Amino acid sequence: MKLSWWKWLTIVLLLYTVIMGMLSEVPRLAILNETIRNLYFHVPMWFGMILILLVSVVYSIKYLRNPLTRNDIIAYESAKVGILFGVLGIITGMEWARFTWGEFWSNDPKQNASAIGLLIYFAYLILRGSFQDHQQRARISAVYNIFAFAALIPLLFILPRMTDSLHPGNGGNPGFNSYDLDSRLRAVFYPAVIGWTLLGVWVVHLRTRLEVLKQRFYENA
Amino acid sequence: MCCTFAEKLEEVLLKEVIYLMQKDFVLEWRQKYAFNGMLLYVGSTVFICYLSFSLRFGGLEVPVWNALYWIILLFTAVNAIAKGFAQESRGRLLYYYSVVSPQGVILAKMIYNAALMLVLSLLCFTFYAVVIGNPVQDVGMFLVTIVLGAVGFATSLTMISGIAAKAANTGTLMAVLSFPVMVPMLLMLMKMSKNAIDGLDPSVSLDEALVLLAINMIVVTVSYILFPYLWRS
């Protein structure tokens, strides 16, 4: 089996993430204890989601400038993979919150914001479903995709800085500086982010090829 | 030469916006039943809330009062603005397409919708205060919040209504597409109006007001850029 280099890189990075994520030494912190390992699985989901949704928006913009079916397919498939990452992020986050905050859903601003973010993209899927004409569907959902992403910016980057939250790294900065200082965590965390994001790109790549082939098949059939 | 090309273009755009707005107001005046329908919608919703909370004895708690007001306003806005593009017939849209620029159309619609929402939300506030009671301590600040809210609802819903009008099931889509987009705005508005109800100093709400203005700017800019693509179909 011949794979291009970045696919091998994905495999290696993810194997490294899973093995080192489960076995490596982590700082002993009160309450968090071993759940700190969720940093390697939960946080990269959000990084991956944002990056892949960004890809989706970029291809929506590209579609509006140059209406090729391929651009529309990439925008659609990456939006779907972004949603998948978002759902996984919420699930891993809820599981983690169960052990550290005591409840799956404790009405935290971050949890609510991520749920709203997902609602926006579910709405995108519904919108796509309600058109018959291919070109109209592609163009109007591209418009909504860009519009929704712009509306997502205050939700993700402004509101969390204005409200208090239980989420780690809060109080002015929604990052994770207090953990990030530990080089042992960093050594696994950065590869994890790259690995999971590349996995997302891989899925988008495969789905796009499949859809393009399907289109070609139906055109010739 | 007095004006550059860009200035000329701006002048033309301004004229278009004014003409289109005039047309919208005239249309509204001729079809008074639609506007009266909206008024009745607001009135009956407030009255239903009054009855279902059985408020004859004692008022509503402040957070509930606040939330209820904005939810009523949200649904009113979705219903009022949804008809913005849906009511335009196909032929008329085609006619606009040949005479005016899309930027003119979206700006005119936004301003018109903002005016409409302003009237509706002020009337809603009056009726709501009379029927359910008025706990607001700083009325001036509350009115400022209403103005920001009306403009914000109008700008974001105008674009969404343009998108939804193109699709098959406009009613459902309008709600589904707009609610998540409007949540950040709604949260800010509720916080601001809560401050106004409690009579806090206006400087406390400055952050929220600035964020609301920023969100509005983002929405208007993005709509301005994207609407031409939406219109082409």
Side-chain angles (χ1 to χ4, degrees):
Chain A
M1 195 163 69
K2 197 149 163 44
L3 292 177
S4 47
W5 63 271
W6 60 272
K7 292 181 180 171
W8 284 112
L9 184 67
T10 312
I11 295 171
V12 171
L13 283 177
L14 285 182
L15 278 176
Y16 172 79
T17 303
V18 172
I19 294 169
M20 289 301 281
M22 294 296 177
L23 298 180
S24 72
E25 275 291 306
V26 289
R28 306 266 155 234
L29 294 173
I31 302 175
L32 284 178
N33 299 323
E34 291 292 328
T35 65
I36 200 169
R37 294 181 195 280
N38 205 17
L39 177 72
Y40 309 139
F41 304 99
H42 168 68
V43 185
M45 289 302 147
W46 297 115
F47 275 73
M49 182 190 85
I50 302 262
L51 288 173
I52 289 173
L53 289 181
L54 198 65
V55 170
S56 172
V57 172
V58 168
Y59 275 90
S60 283
I61 296 172
K62 268 188 158 177
Y63 181 83
L64 290 184
R65 302 183 129 242
N66 182 15
L68 292 175
T69 320
R70 199 182 120 80
N71 289 341
D72 178 51
I73 290 174
I74 296 179
Y76 179 44
E77 297 300 336
S78 37
K80 278 199 293 192
V81 173
I83 290 173
L84 176 69
F85 271 50
V87 170
L88 288 176
I90 280 205
I91 291 173
T92 49
M94 277 166 74
E95 182 68 16
W96 179 82
R98 172 80 184 81
F99 288 103
T100 48
W101 303 346
E103 302 228 16
F104 284 116
W105 200 272
S106 44
N107 203 21
D108 190 73
K110 291 249 165 116
Q111 287 183 322
N112 291 341
S114 45
I116 295 162
L118 280 183
L119 282 184
I120 289 184
Y121 280 90
F122 286 140
Y124 171 74
L125 295 188
I126 302 281
L127 179 67
R128 283 194 74 96
S130 50
F131 287 103
Q132 296 295 323
D133 181 48
H134 277 282
Q135 278 183 351
Q136 203 181 23
R137 169 167 67 201
R139 186 167 56 245
I140 290 171
S141 48
V143 168
Y144 182 71
N145 196 2
I146 301 166
F147 187 74
F149 194 80
L152 206 60
I153 291 172
L155 193 68
L156 292 178
F157 299 107
I158 303 177
L159 292 192
R161 285 179 167 79
M162 292 182 67
T163 42
D164 286 323
S165 163
L166 292 168
H167 200 277
N170 232 284
N173 185 356
F176 40 91
N177 286 329
S178 46
Y179 310 110
D180 179 50
L181 290 176
D182 194 301
S183 56
R184 285 173 298 180
L185 286 180
R186 222 187 284 186
V188 184
F189 175 67
Y190 291 142
V193 169
I194 299 170
W196 288 115
T197 309
L198 279 178
L199 184 68
V201 174
W202 194 348
V203 176
V204 172
H205 189 70
L206 280 180
R207 293 281 317 176
T208 308
R209 268 170 59 195
L210 181 66
E211 285 300 314
V212 169
L213 283 176
K214 260 189 201 166
Q215 290 255 333
R216 217 172 279 163
F217 177 75
Y218 289 134
E219 269 165 21
N220 295 335
Chain B
M1 283 295 279
C2 71
C3 335
T4 62
F5 180 66
E7 275 166 3
K8 268 251 168 62
L9 211 65
E10 236 165 61
E11 211 183 295
V12 170
L13 187 65
L14 197 68
K15 258 190 199 148
E16 276 178 10
V17 170
I18 292 170
Y19 268 124
L20 283 164
M21 266 167 56
Q22 271 176 349
K23 167 231 108 191
D24 269 335
F25 280 112
V26 169
L27 267 185
E28 195 67 64
W29 185 248
R30 285 185 190 159
Q31 314 177 329
K32 279 191 283 291
Y33 65 90
F35 183 69
N36 291 341
M38 287 321 301
L39 287 185
L40 195 57
Y41 182 93
V42 171
S44 40
T45 315
V46 171
F47 200 63
I48 283 173
C49 290
Y50 168 71
L51 290 178
S52 48
F53 281 91
S54 56
L55 287 166
R56 265 162 299 175
F57 314 105
L60 231 52
E61 277 178 52
V62 166
V64 181
W65 188 94
N66 189 22
L68 200 59
Y69 175 72
W70 285 107
I71 291 172
I72 292 173
L73 218 55
L74 175 67
F75 278 87
T76 311
V78 168
N79 276 303
I81 296 176
K83 70 182 178 60
F85 280 102
Q87 73 174 8
E88 308 269 21
S89 64
R90 255 199 118 65
R92 208 192 288 158
L93 277 177
L94 211 63
Y95 173 63
Y96 295 154
Y97 190 70
S98 57
V99 277
V100 289
S101 69
Q103 281 90 352
V105 172
I106 188 81
L107 287 179
K109 270 271 190 276
M110 273 181 181
I111 298 170
Y112 165 73
N113 279 335
L116 182 70
M117 272 315 296
L118 207 58
V119 172
L120 282 177
S121 49
L122 286 175
L123 283 172
C124 179
F125 175 52
T126 318
F127 193 52
Y128 195 66
V130 168
V131 175
I132 299 188
N134 183 10
V136 179
Q137 295 184 27
D138 188 347
V139 177
M141 200 58 207
F142 195 79
L143 290 180
V144 171
T145 315
I146 288 182
V147 171
L148 278 175
V151 173
F153 282 5
T155 48
S156 46
L157 283 173
T158 306
M159 186 65 189
I160 301 267
S161 78
I163 294 174
K166 301 276 181 193
N169 47 348
T170 309
T172 323
L173 261 184
M174 186 70 195
V176 169
L177 297 181
S178 60
F179 286 166
V181 170
M182 293 177 67
V183 166
M185 205 175 270
L186 204 61
L187 290 179
M188 291 287 110
L189 285 170
M190 281 189 185
K191 216 187 257 177
M192 244 181 106
S193 66
K194 180 77 172 44
N195 289 347
I197 293 171
D198 293 342
L200 299 184
D201 195 63
S203 63
V204 180
S205 317
L206 192 66
D207 269 0
E208 279 79 23
L210 285 179
V211 170
L212 275 173
L213 282 179
I215 295 178
N216 269 340
M217 299 254 271
I218 294 177
V219 168
V220 172
T221 319
V222 175
S223 310
Y224 183 85
I225 297 169
L226 288 179
F227 190 68
Y229 294 100
L230 186 65
W231 215 34
R232 215 178 280 166
S233 45

